[in-house]
Amino acid sequence: MGRILVVTSGKGGVGKTTTTANLGMALARLGKTVALMDADFGLRNLDLLLGLENRIVYTALEVLAGECRLEQALVRDKRQPGLALLAAAQNRNKDAINPDQMKLLAEQLAGRFDYVLIDCPAGIESGFRNAIAPAQAAIVVTTPEVAAVRDADRVVGLMEAAGIRNSRLIVNRIRPGLSQVNDMMTVADVREILAIPLLGVVPDDERVIVATNRGEPLVLDKNLSLPGMAFHNIARRLEGEKVEFLDLDAPYNTLLGRLQRALQRKIF
Amino acid sequence: MLRLMDLINQLFPRSQNSRQDAKRRLQFVLAHDRVDLTPQILEQMRQEIMAVIARYVELDTDSVEFSLESDQRMTALVANVPIRRVRKEPTILDDGGDAPESSPQRDAEALESQPN
């Protein structure tokens, strides 16, 4: 049986779908078979970020209604044959599906794939409850901002209450330059506040936008960019490898950066 | 603990770095989010705890501090209760409710907030 993981955050716009797309692709590149499930009924976007939007014929709802087989609804990625997408219905809302049906689909997928990654919608209402129902573990995505961290803490609490106690943290959109001058919380700050194990750190990068525009996840690049490398490392950590966290401060080891840090050092 | 930056900030005051503000505000708000107590219940709990303490010691009611703090997903109730003096004989209440009459040492002011 494959592992069923939910990618969640509470707050919208912190990078859940980007993370799901890149992790799925990165795990497939490591030779794993991966099924991505979009749980965002009515506001689906995972298909768009993967560049598979033109190939969707059936969604999870047709499978549940018995109008097609699960295999027919899965969109196989041509770039990474190990990767498949089960799309959400776009013309329905979150109540079109219930937690038991999500479990049924995820467990069928787990029988055929090494990983099932569920892209959770923002919020903590029915869409969230649907998405976490089948999950054995969670990947919590946040950014180093107060609103995102507060919402992440809330979903960690809600998942603990639902029996999912092994949540791991991805801190996304880090801007080392800002942390260096003490105007952004550091990864250590966020980790200390949320008190769950760290799975990865991803820098803020314009190339993420370009990749989204094209529907080509960053981890597909031949020469991995820094965020691409970050997602690749997260996939390796999921596989149990010990991989050092990226040193995002490295580009700031300039004379000015060193001077700024010297000023922050404790002298007493 | 002092940093050069702190010295410079003192010499040339400007707005404080926002990173510590973010952390401090989050820690406060999460302590409350996590326990999920309404302000009314928190206030009721504060009054009841004060009433119990007041039976044994005389309190400085104006400077009592009551707060929730959170560390490693564990929330703690932290109370800072300055004591004016210890009562010679504690005013023991029994749950029957008739105790206040039988305890002449009762400090009316300290027990003012005690719920019935």
Side-chain angles (χ1 to χ4, degrees):
Chain A
M1 282 293 272
R3 294 161 72 185
I4 306 176
L5 306 174
V6 62
V7 180
T8 182
S9 70
K11 190 176 178 306
V14 297
K16 279 181 300 292
T17 306
T18 304
T19 300
T20 311
N22 277 287
L23 275 188
M25 211 55 105
L27 284 164
R29 276 186 56 158
L30 292 175
K32 298 285 143 189
T33 55
V34 186
L36 301 181
M37 253 179 111
D38 196 341
D40 206 344
F41 285 72
L43 290 169
R44 77 174 185 209
N45 279 317
L46 186 55
D47 52 339
L48 209 47
L49 264 63
L50 288 164
L52 298 177
E53 69 276 13
N54 290 329
R55 296 187 41 211
I56 294 170
V57 182
Y58 299 112
T59 70
L61 288 187
E62 282 82 55
V63 180
L64 287 169
E67 290 165 21
C68 72
R69 285 175 293 112
L70 179 60
E71 203 57 41
Q72 288 175 291
L74 288 174
V75 182
R76 300 271 174 183
D77 194 292
K78 287 178 180 148
R79 299 155 296 187
Q80 284 294 333
L83 187 82
L85 169 71
L86 179 61
Q90 178 68 346
N91 55 354
R92 301 286 294 275
N93 65 20
K94 304 279 182 285
D95 301 318
I97 191 166
N98 65 42
D100 287 335
Q101 293 173 317
M102 282 294 289
K103 263 191 203 161
L104 190 81
L105 287 173
E107 275 157 21
Q108 281 187 36
L109 289 170
R112 307 178 197 190
F113 292 86
D114 297 325
Y115 283 89
V116 179
L117 298 185
I118 303 170
D119 185 24
C120 180
I124 53 171
E125 295 78 23
S126 61
F128 168 75
R129 287 195 296 274
N130 285 338
I132 68 165
Q136 297 152 347
I139 296 172
V140 177
V141 184
T142 190
T143 63
E145 293 149 310
V146 284
V149 174
R150 184 189 198 177
D151 293 359
D153 188 79
R154 185 101 170 95
V155 297
V156 170
L158 288 171
M159 285 189 296
E160 276 177 3
I164 304 170
R165 284 172 219 289
N166 38 2
S167 301
R168 288 199 278 172
L169 180 69
I170 293 178
V171 185
N172 192 16
R173 288 222 195 107
I174 297 163
R175 295 171 64 179
L178 272 184
S179 304
Q180 299 245 338
V181 292
N182 269 336
D183 271 328
M184 180 176 252
M185 283 189 288
T186 62
V187 173
D189 292 337
V190 177
R191 217 206 70 74
E192 181 194 329
I193 290 169
L194 291 178
I196 59 172
L198 188 62
L199 180 63
V201 294
V202 185
D204 192 34
D205 198 302
E206 294 163 8
R207 281 167 290 192
V208 178
I209 299 169
V210 176
T212 308
N213 290 343
R214 296 200 172 125
E216 292 169 4
L218 286 163
V219 291
L220 285 175
D221 295 353
K222 273 218 176 69
N223 296 315
L224 283 181
S225 55
L226 206 53
M229 183 105 66
F231 284 119
H232 183 67
N233 286 350
I234 294 169
R236 288 167 63 196
R237 285 186 204 107
L238 282 176
E239 275 294 281
E241 251 186 273
K242 268 212 167 326
V243 190
E244 291 278 319
F245 293 105
L246 288 182
D247 179 13
L248 300 179
D249 290 339
Y252 293 85
N253 273 333
T254 55
L255 186 61
L256 186 64
R258 283 206 294 274
L259 179 68
Q260 281 173 332
R261 255 168 302 148
L263 291 173
Q264 298 294 344
R265 212 162 285 146
K266 286 152 194 157
I267 52 175
F268 279 107
Chain B
M1 158 168 92
L2 186 64
R3 300 170 204 183
L4 262 176
M5 199 65 194
D6 299 333
L7 267 180
I8 294 173
N9 279 341
Q10 275 180 15
L11 291 173
F12 310 98
R14 59 176 194 119
S15 65
Q16 262 298 317
N17 292 320
S18 61
R19 173 188 156 199
Q20 292 305 330
D21 291 340
K23 220 176 146 182
R24 183 182 45 74
R25 292 175 61 224
L26 261 174
Q27 274 162 339
F28 174 82
V29 77
L30 289 188
H32 286 260
D33 285 358
R34 283 174 187 169
V35 289
D36 199 19
L37 284 174
T38 64
Q40 289 82 358
I41 292 192
L42 205 61
E43 174 59 19
Q44 189 185 342
M45 182 166 73
R46 189 186 73 84
Q47 291 193 358
E48 287 178 26
I49 292 174
M50 287 305 124
V52 171
I53 298 174
R55 280 189 237 146
Y56 298 88
V57 293
E58 201 174 300
L59 302 178
D60 184 357
T61 36
D62 291 338
S63 39
V64 169
E65 282 173 29
F66 220 72
S67 65
L68 292 172
E69 284 176 18
S70 206
D71 185 39
Q72 294 294 305
R73 306 207 71 76
M74 177 79 88
T75 303
L77 176 67
V78 179
N80 189 352
V81 185
I83 295 170
R84 277 219 193 94
R85 63 185 174 86
V86 176
R87 295 182 195 284
K88 288 214 179 67
E89 268 178 63
T91 51
I92 308 295
L93 290 179
D94 94 47
D95 287 339
D98 57 351
E101 285 87 79
S102 63
S103 42
Q105 290 216 335
R106 176 165 78 107
D107 180 345
E109 191 203 338
L111 280 179
E112 220 169 314
S113 59
Q114 186 188 340
N116 292 322

